[in-house]
Amino acid sequence: MSTIKEVASVAGCSTATVSRALATPEKVSEATRARVARAIAQVGYTPNGAARNLRRRESKTIVALLPDISNPFFSEIINGIEEIAHQAGYQILIGDCERDPGRAEAYFDLLPANQADGVLLLTADVPRALVENARRQARFPLVMACEFFSDIDLPTVTVDNYRAACQAIDYLVSLGHRHIATISGPAANPICLERERGYRDTLTAHGLLDTARTQAGDFGVHSGYAQGLELLTPSRHRPTAIFCHSDEMAIGVLKAARQLGLAVPKDLSIVGFDNIRLSEYCDPELTTISQPRPEIGQKAMKLLLGLIRDEPVERHQVLETRLIVRQSTARPGAV
Amino acid sequence: MSTIKEVASVAGCSTATVSRALATPEKVSEATRARVARAIAQVGYTPNGAARNLRRRESKTIVALLPDISNPFFSEIINGIEEIAHQAGYQILIGDCERDPGRAEAYFDLLPANQADGVLLLTADVPRALVENARRQARFPLVMACEFFSDIDLPTVTVDNYRAACQAIDYLVSLGHRHIATISGPAANPICLERERGYRDTLTAHGLLDTARTQAGDFGVHSGYAQGLELLTPSRHRPTAIFCHSDEMAIGVLKAARQLGLAVPKDLSIVGFDNIRLSEYCDPELTTISQPRPEIGQKAMKLLLGLIRDEPVERHQVLETRLIVRQSTARPGAV
DNA sequence: CTCCTCATTGTAAACGATTGCATAAAAGGG
DNA sequence: CCCTTTTATGCAATCGTTTACAATGAGGAG
């Protein structure tokens, strides 16, 4: 509540000196610095952020836009983001956009309003006009992580979704599976398209393309369950393995299989994606593809900082995934 | 990037009029309002938030402090908070404090810095000095949700943890269980103490107090697993039912039971807490206590808004829980 | 002793909005 | 037609910092 003026008068110096004592202590004499420190403690001074932001024309805040806070997949990415952000003195405003696209716009508007210095976009599901508009502005540091736009070249941090899918499918084929289905995320999602491409290319390489079958979900556990029922309901060609684009959906499939009396992995192998914490605690434990989530967050934040500071940056960073084999996969029919 | 001055000059009026056209349109003539609107569109004006915050002495931002973002339990509460907050034109800064208490302090410091107008505390695990200090300040709107301090009277929104526990234990006793153990959250946590009290009182009421046994976890799935193993490893008095203070821990117990060859619910009944989404997708589906999460968030945010606006408020709000019976509970030994 | 440099501090002008007060014009009342 | 009220607008101070620039004094070089 007290201002820099009061500190200055108590310390017996000008406000400029107080300001410098805080921002650039090396420019202030030892003695003055001490007096200022004492005065600050005495009056209980906290610099007014709004005034500082106004004057400095920066907010030390960045916006992280998520498709869905409640998806546990994102929380560890956020942790990575926060770690780097706080080190650099930035705050994070987390925005959830799932409900309506108006939300996203409100968050983007914080940038010209000097309420945010950059945007970290963790979803491609925002009105593209926003993004295109942003790119046109001179100062609008924007980084995408995890997802991306296939036709707009933005700085990105992603994993190699194509290769990850190839790896999963290769593994299933090597176990002897010949009917491998996929439950993907939203059909138009670029990362899902990449994974789908990996899936189909790998099947093709093994001469199995004609058995390909994909259902689109939404990454959520319920859609996994629903699409799982769809795929597994008795038919001529019931798949013996399902590759899911998220662990949550894989857990949904687990329930569908249980309900239909199919044993996992004996009658059905399942591969998930993300390696969320609970994937080790379901029954059977999930074979899945692990993404380096904290690292994605860290790299994305570092990239954004680079853009904000106008430093040269590596605009496209691709991180490694890892196939983690647990108990939800086996040779078809094996005990 | 353009300022109110440019708008004013284009619209041919003073900055005061532009400001009023935006903030209190009814005080500006129809014609001027239109000219201003056109000018704004023409120069692409967005009001500078920092300047506004400085002048208005408010930030339209509130801080929500969580123990752990990655806990799915909180995300729906956040949704409730956001809903109300956005309606009222507020932004939410989500703070994760788990790692170190310094974090919490940094967030609290935003208030005197005019960077936040209030704090929504979703954890009691912050240095109490912060809270006590906050209470002493004149303007420091602070609301607790879910958790609370037993010895500091702050405005709160909670559920009746005592009654919820009673209900769960009553139900287990009514099924015929005589050895009911508990896996609680952190031992010193007030809500856990409440639940523990409900647990013990109910056992006492049924003359079963001597069979009480509690292990402390940390709400996380791994601690449920570890404490589950502890409780279930063969001994003279293996419990036939376990009441867990979170669904995640219940899922951990499920794994422990599986590993020890115990069938749920035949050999062991399990009751969780929170009714997270995945509780319906594990095997067996979890009997649990549902908390009205979005409503907790909404009520807490409304309460905080009331405090910010200096309106009369209901300082302590208690919401209802509901026991949801699914398949993880049964009569002991029943098929 | 003079001049220059450097370290330290102060002065005052921004930053971009909001708003109390004053003023002018229009409307209403008698 | 004059006086009062209302409506619409402008003027200018203000919010609390930061920072370019100027000023001061001390110390060193010549």
PDB file of all heavy atoms in Angstrom, chain A residues 19 24 41 43 66 70 103 119 145 149 197 254 288 311 323:
ATOM      1  N   SER A  19      14.271   3.247  -6.811  1.00  0.00           N
ATOM      2  CA  SER A  19      14.028   2.377  -7.954  1.00  0.00           C
ATOM      3  C   SER A  19      15.320   1.692  -8.382  1.00  0.00           C
ATOM      4  O   SER A  19      15.359   0.482  -8.619  1.00  0.00           O
ATOM      5  CB  SER A  19      13.464   3.202  -9.108  1.00  0.00           C
ATOM      6  OG  SER A  19      13.268   2.395 -10.243  1.00  0.00           O
ATOM      7  N   THR A  24      18.836  -2.011 -10.132  1.00  0.00           N
ATOM      8  CA  THR A  24      20.258  -2.077 -10.487  1.00  0.00           C
ATOM      9  C   THR A  24      21.114  -1.663  -9.302  1.00  0.00           C
ATOM     10  O   THR A  24      21.693  -0.569  -9.301  1.00  0.00           O
ATOM     11  CB  THR A  24      20.548  -1.139 -11.679  1.00  0.00           C
ATOM     12  OG1 THR A  24      20.005   0.157 -11.381  1.00  0.00           O
ATOM     13  CG2 THR A  24      19.958  -1.648 -12.958  1.00  0.00           C
ATOM     14  N   ALA A  41      11.794  -2.013   4.440  1.00  0.00           N
ATOM     15  CA  ALA A  41      11.304  -2.898   5.496  1.00  0.00           C
ATOM     16  C   ALA A  41      10.410  -2.122   6.459  1.00  0.00           C
ATOM     17  O   ALA A  41       9.352  -2.602   6.872  1.00  0.00           O
ATOM     18  CB  ALA A  41      12.480  -3.527   6.232  1.00  0.00           C
ATOM     19  N   VAL A  43       8.536   0.661   6.040  1.00  0.00           N
ATOM     20  CA  VAL A  43       7.193   1.049   5.592  1.00  0.00           C
ATOM     21  C   VAL A  43       6.429  -0.107   4.950  1.00  0.00           C
ATOM     22  O   VAL A  43       5.253   0.008   4.657  1.00  0.00           O
ATOM     23  CB  VAL A  43       7.240   2.230   4.588  1.00  0.00           C
ATOM     24  CG1 VAL A  43       7.998   3.394   5.176  1.00  0.00           C
ATOM     25  CG2 VAL A  43       7.858   1.801   3.280  1.00  0.00           C
ATOM     26  N   LEU A  66      -4.793 -23.998 -23.087  1.00  0.00           N
ATOM     27  CA  LEU A  66      -4.975 -25.449 -23.107  1.00  0.00           C
ATOM     28  C   LEU A  66      -6.328 -25.812 -23.684  1.00  0.00           C
ATOM     29  O   LEU A  66      -7.281 -25.051 -23.559  1.00  0.00           O
ATOM     30  CB  LEU A  66      -4.973 -26.001 -21.684  1.00  0.00           C
ATOM     31  CG  LEU A  66      -3.865 -25.637 -20.727  1.00  0.00           C
ATOM     32  CD1 LEU A  66      -4.069 -26.417 -19.439  1.00  0.00           C
ATOM     33  CD2 LEU A  66      -2.543 -25.990 -21.348  1.00  0.00           C
ATOM     34  N   SER A  70      -8.637 -30.236 -17.378  1.00  0.00           N
ATOM     35  CA  SER A  70      -8.855 -31.449 -16.600  1.00  0.00           C
ATOM     36  C   SER A  70      -8.134 -32.650 -17.195  1.00  0.00           C
ATOM     37  O   SER A  70      -8.144 -33.725 -16.617  1.00  0.00           O
ATOM     38  CB  SER A  70     -10.349 -31.736 -16.471  1.00  0.00           C
ATOM     39  OG  SER A  70     -10.891 -31.956 -17.739  1.00  0.00           O
ATOM     40  N   ARG A 103     -13.400 -17.566 -25.610  1.00  0.00           N
ATOM     41  CA  ARG A 103     -12.391 -17.600 -24.567  1.00  0.00           C
ATOM     42  C   ARG A 103     -11.000 -17.337 -25.131  1.00  0.00           C
ATOM     43  O   ARG A 103     -10.262 -16.497 -24.640  1.00  0.00           O
ATOM     44  CB  ARG A 103     -12.360 -18.981 -23.895  1.00  0.00           C
ATOM     45  CG  ARG A 103     -13.424 -19.231 -22.912  1.00  0.00           C
ATOM     46  CD  ARG A 103     -13.190 -18.450 -21.638  1.00  0.00           C
ATOM     47  NE  ARG A 103     -14.345 -18.554 -20.786  1.00  0.00           N
ATOM     48  CZ  ARG A 103     -14.565 -19.551 -19.944  1.00  0.00           C
ATOM     49  NH1 ARG A 103     -13.682 -20.518 -19.825  1.00  0.00           N
ATOM     50  NH2 ARG A 103     -15.651 -19.591 -19.216  1.00  0.00           N
ATOM     51  N   VAL A 119       2.281 -15.890 -25.888  1.00  0.00           N
ATOM     52  CA  VAL A 119       1.285 -16.944 -25.778  1.00  0.00           C
ATOM     53  C   VAL A 119       1.919 -18.288 -26.083  1.00  0.00           C
ATOM     54  O   VAL A 119       2.694 -18.431 -27.032  1.00  0.00           O
ATOM     55  CB  VAL A 119       0.108 -16.709 -26.754  1.00  0.00           C
ATOM     56  CG1 VAL A 119      -0.819 -17.919 -26.781  1.00  0.00           C
ATOM     57  CG2 VAL A 119      -0.672 -15.461 -26.368  1.00  0.00           C
ATOM     58  N   ALA A 145       3.016 -25.812 -28.646  1.00  0.00           N
ATOM     59  CA  ALA A 145       3.632 -27.006 -28.090  1.00  0.00           C
ATOM     60  C   ALA A 145       2.647 -28.150 -28.218  1.00  0.00           C
ATOM     61  O   ALA A 145       1.440 -27.947 -28.152  1.00  0.00           O
ATOM     62  CB  ALA A 145       4.009 -26.802 -26.635  1.00  0.00           C
ATOM     63  N   PHE A 149      -0.218 -26.272 -36.391  1.00  0.00           N
ATOM     64  CA  PHE A 149      -1.053 -26.101 -37.580  1.00  0.00           C
ATOM     65  C   PHE A 149      -0.266 -26.617 -38.759  1.00  0.00           C
ATOM     66  O   PHE A 149       0.907 -26.248 -38.939  1.00  0.00           O
ATOM     67  CB  PHE A 149      -1.379 -24.621 -37.801  1.00  0.00           C
ATOM     68  CG  PHE A 149      -2.309 -24.063 -36.790  1.00  0.00           C
ATOM     69  CD1 PHE A 149      -1.852 -23.239 -35.780  1.00  0.00           C
ATOM     70  CD2 PHE A 149      -3.667 -24.375 -36.826  1.00  0.00           C
ATOM     71  CE1 PHE A 149      -2.715 -22.725 -34.841  1.00  0.00           C
ATOM     72  CE2 PHE A 149      -4.534 -23.862 -35.885  1.00  0.00           C
ATOM     73  CZ  PHE A 149      -4.060 -23.033 -34.884  1.00  0.00           C
ATOM     74  N   ARG A 197      -0.989 -41.369 -40.173  1.00  0.00           N
ATOM     75  CA  ARG A 197      -0.104 -41.615 -41.298  1.00  0.00           C
ATOM     76  C   ARG A 197       0.941 -42.672 -40.924  1.00  0.00           C
ATOM     77  O   ARG A 197       1.221 -43.597 -41.699  1.00  0.00           O
ATOM     78  CB  ARG A 197       0.595 -40.298 -41.689  1.00  0.00           C
ATOM     79  CG  ARG A 197       1.156 -40.248 -43.082  1.00  0.00           C
ATOM     80  CD  ARG A 197       1.446 -38.809 -43.504  1.00  0.00           C
ATOM     81  NE  ARG A 197       2.376 -38.120 -42.625  1.00  0.00           N
ATOM     82  CZ  ARG A 197       3.709 -38.247 -42.697  1.00  0.00           C
ATOM     83  NH1 ARG A 197       4.254 -39.030 -43.617  1.00  0.00           N
ATOM     84  NH2 ARG A 197       4.477 -37.593 -41.857  1.00  0.00           N
ATOM     85  N   LEU A 254     -10.274 -50.560 -22.265  1.00  0.00           N
ATOM     86  CA  LEU A 254     -10.134 -51.620 -21.271  1.00  0.00           C
ATOM     87  C   LEU A 254     -11.505 -51.983 -20.703  1.00  0.00           C
ATOM     88  O   LEU A 254     -11.858 -53.154 -20.541  1.00  0.00           O
ATOM     89  CB  LEU A 254      -9.231 -51.095 -20.149  1.00  0.00           C
ATOM     90  CG  LEU A 254      -8.013 -51.873 -19.674  1.00  0.00           C
ATOM     91  CD1 LEU A 254      -7.349 -52.671 -20.760  1.00  0.00           C
ATOM     92  CD2 LEU A 254      -7.007 -50.910 -19.024  1.00  0.00           C
ATOM     93  N   THR A 288       2.391 -48.216 -23.457  1.00  0.00           N
ATOM     94  CA  THR A 288       2.057 -46.873 -23.929  1.00  0.00           C
ATOM     95  C   THR A 288       3.276 -46.164 -24.486  1.00  0.00           C
ATOM     96  O   THR A 288       4.409 -46.648 -24.356  1.00  0.00           O
ATOM     97  CB  THR A 288       1.429 -46.048 -22.783  1.00  0.00           C
ATOM     98  OG1 THR A 288       0.944 -44.811 -23.290  1.00  0.00           O
ATOM     99  CG2 THR A 288       2.463 -45.752 -21.702  1.00  0.00           C
ATOM    100  N   GLU A 311      15.956 -13.077 -29.359  1.00  0.00           N
ATOM    101  CA  GLU A 311      17.201 -13.809 -29.550  1.00  0.00           C
ATOM    102  C   GLU A 311      17.014 -14.769 -30.718  1.00  0.00           C
ATOM    103  O   GLU A 311      15.887 -15.097 -31.084  1.00  0.00           O
ATOM    104  CB  GLU A 311      17.531 -14.621 -28.287  1.00  0.00           C
ATOM    105  CG  GLU A 311      17.844 -13.750 -27.078  1.00  0.00           C
ATOM    106  CD  GLU A 311      17.787 -14.563 -25.787  1.00  0.00           C
ATOM    107  OE1 GLU A 311      17.460 -15.768 -25.850  1.00  0.00           O
ATOM    108  OE2 GLU A 311      18.054 -13.974 -24.724  1.00  0.00           O
ATOM    109  N   LEU A 323       8.588 -46.024 -26.376  1.00  0.00           N
ATOM    110  CA  LEU A 323       7.550 -47.038 -26.216  1.00  0.00           C
ATOM    111  C   LEU A 323       7.802 -47.777 -24.906  1.00  0.00           C
ATOM    112  O   LEU A 323       8.891 -48.321 -24.689  1.00  0.00           O
ATOM    113  CB  LEU A 323       7.606 -48.026 -27.384  1.00  0.00           C
ATOM    114  CG  LEU A 323       6.596 -49.176 -27.322  1.00  0.00           C
ATOM    115  CD1 LEU A 323       5.174 -48.661 -27.500  1.00  0.00           C
ATOM    116  CD2 LEU A 323       6.917 -50.240 -28.367  1.00  0.00           C
TER     117      LEU A 323
END
